[in-house]
Amino acid sequence: MDESNELNIGIIGTDTSHSVAFAELLNDRNHAWHLPGGRIVAAYKGGSPDFELSISRVEGFAARLQNEFGVRILAEPEQVAESCDAILLLAADGRAHRSLFGRIAPFGKPVFIDKPLATNTEDAKAIAALAERYGVPVMTASALRFAEALREKLDDERDGEITGADCCGPIIIEPTQGGYFWYGIHAAEMLFAALGPGCGCVTAFSAGDQEMIVGVWKDGRIGTVRGSSASYHPFSAVIHRERNSAFAEVSAGAKPFYASLLERVFGLFQTGVPAVPMTHSVEVIRFLEAANESRASGSAVAL
């Protein structure tokens, strides 16, 4: 593609390795999974002082963006939004997404918000309302939703309709990020990729370092999320259909998760149409919020 036709893309939040991962895919033309059509040109550091994984990494990733990829580091999110065609809101702290999005939404540029969209339903709905108010095309997703090994099983309809799904992965608990929101978001996104919206109630419980979330959909289907809060087991899923069940070793694909995700993000940037509707994403946040409530109370919680 002619460089003059490339999208100028900005990053909000250099406190996550995702910022460098996206820059590698977009700015490095020799990368095995390079995605043409856009380039990271500007970034705002951000960072949350009370979140060690955020504040301890923000400067290092900002330096890499600047030194390795020629990205300009700007002082305010608004400067990034004004100077770019599209925005990757990558701040690691889900608590910060509502306020950061509020600062860039008035510019009307398409925005991808990295997972989790928010750490409570109120903030998620507020982001959706801001997007509607300013006419901002917006999308959020975990990269696991688009993992090639998972999509292969979801797209194979030879054994009939999907009747349920069991999704597994690490469920590391980060105290500042609201229980299941930090790592539970990944397996939850996989589950909703399989079953779609429409969950009616959630029950969650833990035993030692093992976590389990059971969702009952309004049409009678059942989906589960399970994993360990103490170890990083690979992501996997079992997709149940009318005539068979299929296992997906989600972490085994050769294509990086971020490359598959970035292809969908580019669809948003180019067409204004998100691969995942915001109403679906808000429901995922409510699903995890309800799971936190159930884990604390010991009772099923309605969505």
Side-chain angles (χ1 to χ4, degrees):
M1 174 179 283
D2 187 335
E3 289 187 19
S4 63
N5 294 324
E6 287 186 331
L7 291 174
N8 289 325
I9 300 170
I11 286 176
I12 306 294
T14 68
D15 56 342
T16 166
S17 61
H18 300 186
S19 60
V20 174
F22 283 126
E24 289 174 340
L25 290 166
L26 289 167
N27 292 30
D28 182 359
R29 296 177 183 275
N30 296 317
H31 193 284
W33 298 98
H34 170 63
L35 183 66
R39 187 174 182 84
I40 307 295
V41 299
Y44 165 73
K45 293 180 185 177
S48 299
D50 67 339
F51 184 8
E52 178 62 21
L53 282 175
S54 166
I55 202 64
S56 66
R57 302 189 297 174
V58 63
E59 294 293 342
F61 289 134
R64 287 192 61 187
L65 289 172
Q66 187 172 39
N67 298 332
E68 296 179 28
F69 303 103
V71 175
R72 290 177 295 130
I73 304 300
L74 302 179
E76 303 294 342
E78 291 87 349
Q79 293 175 311
V80 174
E82 185 175 21
S83 63
C84 295
D85 303 309
I87 303 162
L88 298 167
L89 201 172
L90 304 181
D93 188 350
R95 299 171 301 172
H97 289 173
R98 178 179 178 176
S99 60
L100 288 170
F101 183 72
R103 295 176 67 175
I104 63 177
F107 293 86
K109 310 292 178 66
V111 178
F112 168 73
I113 303 176
D114 208 353
K115 57 76 196 164
L117 173 64
T119 57
N120 59 71
T121 304
E122 179 183 351
D123 282 358
K125 288 182 175 179
I127 290 171
L130 281 167
E132 184 174 0
R133 175 182 174 186
Y134 290 106
V136 178
V138 63
M139 170 185 151
T140 184
S142 160
L144 274 296
R145 176 185 278 268
F146 302 113
E148 298 296 301
L150 177 64
R151 300 309 308 185
E152 179 183 340
K153 301 303 181 184
L154 296 182
D155 293 340
D156 185 353
E157 301 178 347
R158 289 174 296 179
D159 289 316
E161 297 294 323
I162 294 175
T163 59
D166 301 307
C167 300
C168 302
I171 305 183
I172 308 302
I173 303 295
E174 163 53 48
T176 68
Q177 297 302 297
Y180 288 131
F181 283 106
W182 180 237
Y183 248 82
I185 184 68
H186 292 300
E189 283 269 298
M190 289 161 52
L191 181 61
F192 274 77
L195 300 186
C199 184
C201 69
V202 174
T203 304
F205 48 91
S206 61
D209 66 359
Q210 297 298 302
E211 303 286 341
M212 171 71 85
I213 306 171
V214 180
V216 179
W217 264 244
K218 295 172 184 176
D219 60 9
R221 293 177 298 164
I222 295 175
T224 67
V225 167
R226 69 169 297 162
S228 170
S229 62
S231 59
Y232 288 86
H233 293 303
F235 290 98
S236 63
V238 178
I239 308 302
H240 304 289
R241 293 184 179 271
E242 293 170 306
R243 294 183 294 277
N244 202 359
S245 296
F247 175 73
E249 190 176 354
V250 179
S251 298
K255 189 174 184 178
F257 299 150
Y258 297 130
S260 299
L261 171 61
L262 194 57
E263 290 174 355
R264 272 68 174 197
V265 172
F266 243 72
L268 169 76
F269 289 170
Q270 293 172 330
T271 68
V273 179
V276 184
M278 183 54 64
T279 53
H280 293 198
S281 296
V282 171
E283 183 176 325
V284 174
I285 298 303
R286 176 55 192 153
F287 174 86
L288 290 172
E289 184 178 65
N292 283 333
E293 294 168 3
S294 175
R295 185 177 186 266
S297 69
S299 302
V301 175
L303 268 66

